[in-house]
Amino acid sequence: EVQLVESGGGLVQPGGSLRLSCAASGFIFSSYWMSWVRQAPGKGLEWVANIKQDGNETYYLDSVKGRFTISRDNAKNSLYLQMNSLRAEDAAVYYCAKYPGNGKYFDYWGQGTLVTVSS
Amino acid sequence: QSALTQEASVSGTVGQKVTLSCTGNSNNIGYYAVGWYQQISHGAPKTVMFGDSLPSGIPDRFSGSKSGTTASLTISGLQPEDEADYYCSTWDYKLSGQVFGGGTKLTVL
């Protein structure tokens, strides 16, 4: 059974940093693109970043470029999102999501981790 | 402003057939298959359709289709447990990013 379990969320002050983690199991993690998607309170889903199987190709939402870094450790079956210079508008539930082999959509999602940005 | 356009709300009665639409352009829906995600009471999203394929465990009253730059999710035989927010998404090669619709709130009357 595919499982994606996020952790690392919490309360951080504006300008602060946070590192989210996603522990993957139930599939060959190193074989799939992975992604972070967020949802601000009362808002819709918003894609944040993608990373290729080997970690050598990444894509970011324009508003997080230069502040967020997506990475992965295939040996640990883990996905990460390093978030720096956090802003109030980054407050959201962050979901880890998995792509299938050849699709441009997600087949599995984690349960999410809440990031609150406030002084 | 979302890159993909969905109805804000749709409603139907139990047993009815409803269709949700998702409109994009040639850079996204016109080029790639679309995923549909169900979110109940702001819980974790759940994939209910990718392309025209049904994920394992999803009832076959859900079906998907695409014509040009518009994708559709049809629920035949609406059930009370189908009440949720539904989002569509695909890749946009011009934006080099995953794009979402703003979501459709489906109400089962």
Side-chain angles (χ1 to χ4, degrees):
Chain A
E1 178 194 3
V2 171
Q3 284 200 316
L4 299 170
V5 180
E6 301 92 336
S7 60
L11 173 63
V12 61
Q13 291 186 339
S17 298
L18 212 53
R19 189 195 195 206
L20 305 183
S21 299
C22 171
S25 61
F27 65 102
I28 303 174
F29 180 72
S30 59
S31 295
Y32 298 94
W33 281 79
M34 296 294 296
S35 184
W36 288 99
V37 175
R38 67 186 180 185
Q39 186 171 36
K43 302 294 185 182
L45 299 173
E46 180 179 53
W47 167 77
V48 175
N50 276 5
I51 188 166
K52 193 179 176 181
Q53 291 93 327
D54 59 8
N56 288 336
E57 194 171 335
T58 58
Y59 298 92
Y60 295 93
L61 178 68
D62 280 349
S63 63
V64 308
K65 280 180 186 174
R67 300 188 299 122
F68 290 12
T69 302
I70 188 171
S71 62
R72 63 193 297 162
D73 186 335
N74 287 339
K76 295 183 177 179
N77 291 336
S78 292
L79 177 72
Y80 306 102
L81 186 68
Q82 177 66 44
M83 304 186 295
N84 299 330
S85 303
L86 281 160
R87 305 168 180 167
E89 55 265 34
D90 296 318
V93 174
Y94 284 73
Y95 296 101
C96 166
K98 171 187 170 292
Y99 285 92
N102 58 357
K104 297 298 187 182
Y105 39 72
F106 305 114
D107 56 358
Y108 290 97
W109 299 74
Q111 86 291 346
T113 188
L114 177 63
V115 172
T116 303
V117 183
S118 175
S119 53
Chain B
Q1 194 80 354
S2 302
L4 306 181
T5 301
Q6 298 183 251
E7 302 93 346
S9 62
V10 169
S11 63
T13 57
V14 174
Q16 190 178 6
K17 181 170 82 170
V18 295
T19 298
L20 283 58
S21 69
C22 174
T23 301
N25 59 39
S26 57
N27 303 325
N28 43 63
I29 293 179
Y31 203 81
Y32 299 108
V34 172
W36 288 90
Y37 314 106
Q38 178 192 65
Q39 189 177 40
I40 297 174
S41 300
H42 279 281
K46 178 181 179 181
T47 302
V48 294
M49 184 66 53
F50 36 74
D52 56 3
S53 299
L54 204 59
S56 172
I58 301 301
D60 61 6
R61 62 177 180 274
F62 287 85
S63 63
S65 64
K66 187 176 80 167
S67 178
T69 57
T70 298
S72 299
L73 177 71
T74 297
I75 309 173
S76 303
L78 199 59
Q79 296 299 308
E81 59 266 31
D82 298 333
E83 183 162 293
D85 293 324
Y86 289 84
Y87 295 89
C88 60
S89 178
T90 190
W91 186 258
D92 187 299
Y93 67 78
K94 192 168 184 181
L95 298 175
S96 289
Q98 191 79 19
V99 291
F100 280 90
T104 296
K105 182 176 182 61
L106 174 62
T107 301
V108 181
L109 302 170

